[in-house]
Amino acid sequence: MQKTNTKKTVRPARKQHVQPGLEGKMNPLPVFEKAGAKKGKLHNKVALITGGDSGIGRAVAVAFAREGADVAIAYFNEHTDAEITSEHITLAGRKCMLIAGDISNEKHCTDIIKQVIKNFKKIDILVNNAAVQYPQKGIEDISAEQLHKTFETNIYPHFYLTKAILPHLSKGSSIICTTSVTAYRGSSHLIDYSATKGAIVSFVRSLSASLAEKGIRVNGVAPGPIWTPLIPATFTPEEVATFGTDVPLKRAGQPVEVAPCYVFLASDDASYFTGQILHPNGGEIING
């Protein structure tokens, strides 16, 4: 008697193409290039950058200008730094507007938006970047006055400026917020500062979800140790001497090394990015 083969024949799931597949047979075809050449990634865009007078803000402002954007810089009272930044933007062939004042004041933030719209007729990009830090040995040394000042400068203006700018933004506009590596790993001597930077991460994630349907992208950048005026202004000479040496690359970064993150997030290259944080931090591994 012939033995019956009861083993089932296993057939692979039906596939349209044999791996790795031919892109030309796809329907619809994937988009792999942008139509039309532009003079720059941010050609004829208008950007507002807080703290754009120096440090990361200055590097971002100049990088934006070199990519074709006109730039408005909101800063506190560092007039000399702001003028130097303005000169470099002008040398790049773009217009620059300087607005001095305290962005912890909501009315001033509203006035900033009004001035930019009056001068440039539009705003396409908002970079919430300005911040302060006051190192202390422990939480018991953080006064109520310091706590209020840190939060009023580092996170409140994100709300003030975003609320004021929203009526002027449209699909394709970009909001970029500067957080910090300290939002992820903490800092024993920058507790209040780190707390504001953590708040900014949540702000980015929540605002991005809120504005997704409008096509307005919201992202952030979390720099590691970067050589900016805040460092010698707030750390001891001994701390400055070793600043940045504890990261895998064994050095502090330069503002120019961070600026490309902002150019990317502000441009159409990042059209599929929202609610994300980029980490130019010298190699620290970030979780969360």
Side-chain angles (χ1 to χ4, degrees):
M1 183 176 178
Q2 187 176 4
K3 188 177 180 180
T4 303
N5 185 0
T6 59
K7 186 177 180 181
K8 286 187 177 180
T9 302
V10 179
R11 293 187 176 90
R14 186 171 178 269
K15 298 180 179 179
Q16 287 186 312
H17 310 300
V18 176
Q19 293 187 54
L22 295 174
E23 188 165 314
K25 291 185 177 181
M26 294 177 67
N27 183 24
L29 289 170
V31 178
F32 63 90
E33 66 178 349
K34 294 184 183 296
K38 291 186 177 181
K39 295 181 180 179
K41 292 180 183 294
L42 306 176
H43 182 57
N44 284 342
K45 300 285 188 181
V46 173
L48 168 61
I49 305 172
T50 66
D53 55 293
S54 64
I56 292 172
R58 173 186 282 179
V60 173
V62 174
F64 278 11
R66 289 182 175 177
E67 291 292 346
D70 294 323
V71 183
I73 291 173
Y75 68 103
F76 184 43
N77 61 8
E78 304 85 352
H79 305 299
T80 301
D81 279 350
E83 290 291 345
I84 292 172
T85 304
S86 179
E87 290 173 7
H88 282 270
I89 290 170
T90 303
L91 286 172
R94 304 307 304 185
K95 298 176 182 177
C96 181
M97 179 182 186
L98 301 179
I99 307 171
D102 185 358
I103 60 171
S104 69
N105 181 293
E106 184 174 13
K107 183 180 182 302
H108 177 61
C109 288
T110 303
D111 289 341
I112 288 173
I113 302 303
K114 290 179 179 178
Q115 290 182 54
V116 176
I117 293 297
K118 182 178 179 180
N119 189 64
F120 290 121
K121 310 305 179 187
K122 66 171 184 172
I123 305 180
D124 304 289
I125 304 157
L126 169 62
V127 178
N128 289 309
N129 171 71
V132 293
Q133 64 180 31
Y134 304 101
Q136 300 290 358
K137 290 182 179 179
I139 192 169
E140 63 273 21
D141 299 311
I142 300 174
S143 65
E145 181 183 4
Q146 176 179 318
L147 184 64
H148 284 297
K149 180 63 177 177
T150 304
F151 273 79
E152 286 171 352
T153 303
N154 293 10
I155 180 63
Y156 289 5
H158 288 60
F159 285 84
Y160 300 153
L161 288 165
T162 299
K163 288 170 62 179
I165 203 174
L166 269 183
H168 306 286
L169 298 183
S170 57
K171 184 177 181 180
S173 296
S174 177
I175 298 174
I176 308 168
C177 303
T178 302
T179 176
S180 167
V181 67
T182 63
Y184 297 87
R185 61 163 168 75
S187 174
S188 62
H189 60 288
L190 291 170
I191 297 174
D192 52 339
Y193 172 85
S194 300
T196 64
K197 293 302 183 175
I200 291 170
V201 172
S202 291
F203 177 80
V204 165
R205 291 172 175 170
S206 300
L207 186 64
S208 67
S210 173
L211 299 180
E213 288 188 1
K214 295 182 179 180
I216 299 170
R217 297 179 297 103
V218 185
N219 294 287
V221 180
I226 307 298
W227 183 240
T228 73
L230 269 184
I231 306 311
T234 60
F235 291 155
T236 67
E238 293 75 22
E239 290 169 330
V240 170
T242 59
F243 178 68
T245 57
D246 57 341
V247 301
L249 290 184
K250 304 298 182 185
R251 66 175 179 84
Q254 293 294 333
V256 70
E257 296 178 291
V258 180
C261 293
Y262 293 81
V263 172
F264 169 70
L265 292 174
S267 74
D268 290 342
D269 288 348
S271 58
Y272 202 51
F273 276 70
T274 197
Q276 306 303 308
I277 308 291
L278 301 185
H279 297 273
N281 62 23
E284 290 197 59
I285 304 301
I286 297 300
N287 294 315

